Amino acid sequence: MAKYSLLWLALNLIVPRLFVSSYAITGIKAGVNAVTGQRPFRQEFSIFQDSGAQFDLYIQALQRLQNTNQTAMLSYFQVCGIHGYPNVPWDGVVGYTSRVGYCTHSSILFPTWHRPYLALYEQLLWEQAQKVAATYNTSEKATYQAAAKSFRMPYWDWSLNATMPTLVNVPIITIKTPKGVQSVPNPLYNYTFHPLPGASDFPQGDGIFSSESDYAPFSNTGFYNGTSYNSLENLHNSIHALVGMGGHMGYVPYSAFDPIFWLHHTNVDRLTAIWQALYPNSFTTAEADSYGTYTNPPGGKENATTPLTPFHSDCNKTLYTSDTARYTSTFGYAYPEVQDWKVNATQLSANVRTIVNSLYDPSGSTSKRSQFPPNVRRTAVDTNPVHYQWAVDITADVSQISASLFLHFYVCTPPSSPSDWSSASSLVASFTILKGPSTGSPLPALHGQLPLTHSLSKLNLPDLRPDTVSPYLQQNLQWRAQTLDGSVVAPEILAGAIKYLVVARQVRARMQDDEFPVYGVWKTQRVTV
């Protein structure tokens, strides 16, 4: 460990910097009320797409950013490359390995590392939006410049709108440009490399808000205390795989080049902000990172003061930490659910609980989620705790798995054809195992949880008590495995790599809108799959 730390320090002191000073990721200060702290919202995409001038600017700003010369440090290509490939220094921050990128996975830093990363992307889009707004004619310029000033990038809430936004799947989009209404190439559809990358570029839940009040198990799939399996990163992984389906989003080192990555991760940041408002006193604790990153060797301890490389908060090469990136106010934005001005922490937490209940209904009386289309698997976002809540806890030894996988779970016999596995009516949910490139050290075990309650409640069972449900699951619960491109993985290949437990707990429904349900302790049930 020590030799890696010394090497990293030496490289960052000795290797010549492309810039004498670092690029300051300050967030956007325009539109922020300096007295109250009120900030412009990042909006859900389905609302943002109807915003008129701001959406027009967003599309054109993204076009301009994508068209920036790939040799520029602030180009779309190089900013996306921070996440993974091509595993090269950015803003002068040199790593110890060329095997992985800067992104932290299965790490306590997972939520906070992405916050300045998103702020960098948003800052570059905002700068481009100002330039575009200035080119509109005199009669429209004021409208577009006002829209540009308060511009913040959108997010896709895949829990509430569990189908991909239509506008990200069309190659041509119609917007109002300085030259009038035009149909233009849609930058949300894809990113075209210019030039195409070669060898020199790329080497060959349930109850997540209401029942998890400890930051460590909430934050990442690598943390395990024997009882907590579900995490924000677990949900995040599912969306990468569901959207990627064998494409770039499903392969983490390339995923940031897909424009929907930014809509997805802005929502992950939003979920983090909501959770922080609910539990303001719980935050980053010391945890070993068994996977490692471009700058953080495997096995190193990470905590709230660990540098979030390669993101600088000023021009003097000061790196962000989880402590300095803790609050969205640092970066000049907010989310509609977390209006943290003119209220104290207690009031904010109560307000956010009410909103979460309204959006996602943790009481379990109904499911307000729309469904994925037939060819897309459901995620592990399910909030239906009625008397008893059921789930499958999964541990995957990634070192024994050769490729990224879906584990599909069913409450009765799945279809015989693997092409129908993801659309079967008996499909409960799919657990995603994302396997990135090796860092040279043993890969960490991943922990996650799949909800069963929603599917069980649709069956003709008299109740959800263990003595009713356990015999049914023993007879009917099955699973199948596929790679992200649909290839079948035989169960015997995964023997020893996948461990699972069927668990249940009692739930007392909430009594009022600003409360969450009260959850009992998960208890392992006598069910083998």
Side-chain angles (χ1 to χ4, degrees):
M1 250 313 291
K3 68 178 182 180
Y4 287 132
S5 299
L6 290 172
L7 175 61
W8 184 83
L9 177 62
L11 286 170
N12 279 280
L13 290 175
I14 297 171
V15 175
R17 302 292 180 98
L18 293 175
F19 297 91
V20 175
S21 61
S22 52
Y23 180 77
I25 303 170
T26 60
I28 304 165
K29 305 308 178 187
V32 177
N33 187 315
V35 176
T36 65
Q38 183 172 350
R39 306 178 299 286
F41 294 135
R42 290 178 177 175
Q43 300 179 64
E44 210 283 322
F45 189 85
S46 63
I47 297 172
F48 183 75
Q49 68 183 6
D50 296 325
S51 62
Q54 280 198 339
F55 187 75
D56 294 338
L57 292 171
Y58 171 58
I59 295 298
Q60 293 171 92
L62 183 52
Q63 285 176 327
R64 290 171 64 102
L65 184 60
Q66 290 184 352
N67 290 334
T68 302
N69 192 303
Q70 291 182 171
T71 62
M73 189 186 82
L74 299 179
S75 65
Y76 185 89
F77 176 80
Q78 291 207 25
V79 169
C80 293
I82 292 170
H83 191 260
Y85 288 152
N87 303 340
V88 296
W90 190 85
D91 203 10
V93 180
V94 180
Y96 81 97
T97 179
S98 60
R99 293 179 175 180
V100 293
Y102 291 101
C103 183
T104 56
H105 286 283
S106 296
S107 160
I108 196 75
L109 306 181
F110 170 75
T112 50
W113 184 89
H114 286 85
R115 182 158 286 170
Y117 190 30
L118 292 164
L120 164 64
Y121 185 76
E122 184 172 60
Q123 190 167 310
L124 296 176
L125 285 176
W126 185 89
E127 291 170 356
Q128 295 290 355
Q130 310 313 302
K131 297 173 183 177
V132 175
T135 64
Y136 278 81
N137 61 43
T138 303
S139 63
E140 297 177 311
K141 183 177 292 187
T143 298
Y144 277 86
Q145 287 184 322
K149 181 180 178 181
S150 61
F151 170 84
R152 301 296 188 271
M153 65 187 181
Y155 63 88
W156 166 37
D157 183 359
W158 27 258
S159 293
L160 200 61
N161 299 303
T163 55
M164 281 202 298
T166 302
L167 290 184
V168 307
N169 286 320
V170 294
I172 301 296
I173 191 168
T174 301
I175 58 171
K176 189 170 188 179
T177 74
K179 296 180 180 179
V181 176
Q182 292 185 327
S183 295
V184 300
N186 184 4
L188 295 169
Y189 183 68
N190 63 5
Y191 170 65
T192 302
F193 293 95
H194 52 91
L196 292 175
S200 61
D201 293 313
F202 290 171
Q204 309 289 294
D206 186 23
I208 192 76
F209 290 138
S210 56
S211 65
E212 187 51 74
S213 59
D214 185 352
Y215 185 86
F218 162 80
S219 66
N220 73 98
T221 57
F223 179 87
Y224 180 61
N225 60 4
T227 58
S228 299
Y229 281 78
N230 206 9
S231 69
L232 176 69
E233 189 178 12
N234 180 44
L235 304 182
H236 149 273
N237 289 351
S238 294
I239 301 303
H240 267 281
L242 294 171
V243 173
M245 302 292 285
H248 286 157
M249 267 290 281
Y251 190 47
V252 173
Y254 292 104
S255 59
F257 291 98
D258 189 327
I260 203 170
F261 169 95
W262 301 95
L263 296 175
H264 167 43
H265 267 279
T266 305
N267 189 51
V268 173
D269 181 70
R270 166 181 162 269
L271 299 180
T272 301
I274 290 173
W275 191 94
Q276 289 178 298
L278 293 170
Y279 309 105
N281 296 322
S282 182
F283 195 50
T284 305
T285 54
E287 182 183 316
D289 181 356
S290 54
Y291 186 74
T293 73
Y294 182 59
T295 55
N296 302 352
K301 283 282 187 180
E302 297 170 338
N303 56 37
T305 61
T306 301
L308 302 178
T309 56
F311 308 121
H312 296 106
S313 60
D314 57 32
C315 296
N316 299 316
K317 303 170 188 174
T318 304
L319 289 163
Y320 276 105
T321 67
S322 294
D323 276 342
T324 58
R326 182 169 182 171
Y327 302 108
T328 62
S329 56
T330 300
F331 302 101
Y333 68 90
Y335 293 104
E337 299 86 356
V338 188
Q339 300 185 32
D340 55 11
W341 47 91
K342 297 183 178 180
V343 293
N344 60 34
T346 301
Q347 292 169 323
L348 176 63
S349 181
N351 293 345
V352 173
R353 279 194 300 273
T354 300
I355 293 171
V356 167
N357 285 332
S358 174
L359 287 174
Y360 306 120
D361 193 29
S363 68
S365 58
T366 60
S367 174
K368 296 190 177 183
R369 296 185 304 119
S370 57
Q371 295 296 309
F372 277 93
N375 65 332
V376 179
R377 304 159 183 83
R378 302 174 186 89
T379 71
V381 182
D382 191 341
T383 49
N384 281 291
V386 182
H387 304 302
Y388 278 90
Q389 188 179 48
W390 289 81
V392 179
D393 288 342
I394 300 169
T395 298
D397 183 352
V398 183
S399 64
Q400 298 187 50
I401 297 171
S402 60
S404 296
L405 299 174
F406 284 120
L407 300 180
H408 309 302
F409 281 77
Y410 305 86
V411 290
C412 59
T413 303
S416 57
S417 172
S419 63
D420 296 327
W421 285 355
S422 64
S423 58
S425 59
S426 58
L427 177 67
V428 175
S430 298
F431 181 73
T432 303
I433 300 169
L434 291 182
K435 180 161 185 175
S438 172
T439 59
S441 297
L443 295 174
L446 300 181
H447 306 280
Q449 186 178 81
L450 288 183
L452 298 177
T453 317
H454 182 65
S455 295
L456 290 171
S457 66
K458 294 181 178 180
L459 302 174
N460 293 321
L461 297 173
D463 55 58
L464 295 183
R465 297 173 61 85
D467 55 359
T468 300
V469 174
S470 290
Y472 179 86
L473 292 178
Q474 178 62 53
Q475 184 174 355
N476 294 285
L477 188 63
Q478 300 185 45
W479 64 274
R480 299 289 187 271
Q482 285 180 299
T483 60
L484 302 194
D485 65 4
S487 300
V488 176
V489 180
E492 55 267 24
I493 294 177
L494 299 176
I498 307 296
K499 297 179 180 179
Y500 47 82
L501 297 171
V502 175
V503 295
R505 64 181 175 184
Q506 288 185 308
V507 182
R508 179 178 64 79
R510 58 183 168 87
M511 302 300 292
Q512 53 192 40
D513 289 343
D514 64 352
E515 292 181 348
F516 281 151
V518 176
Y519 296 90
V521 177
W522 286 113
K523 294 182 179 180
T524 303
Q525 306 299 307
R526 295 179 180 272
V527 178
T528 57
V529 184

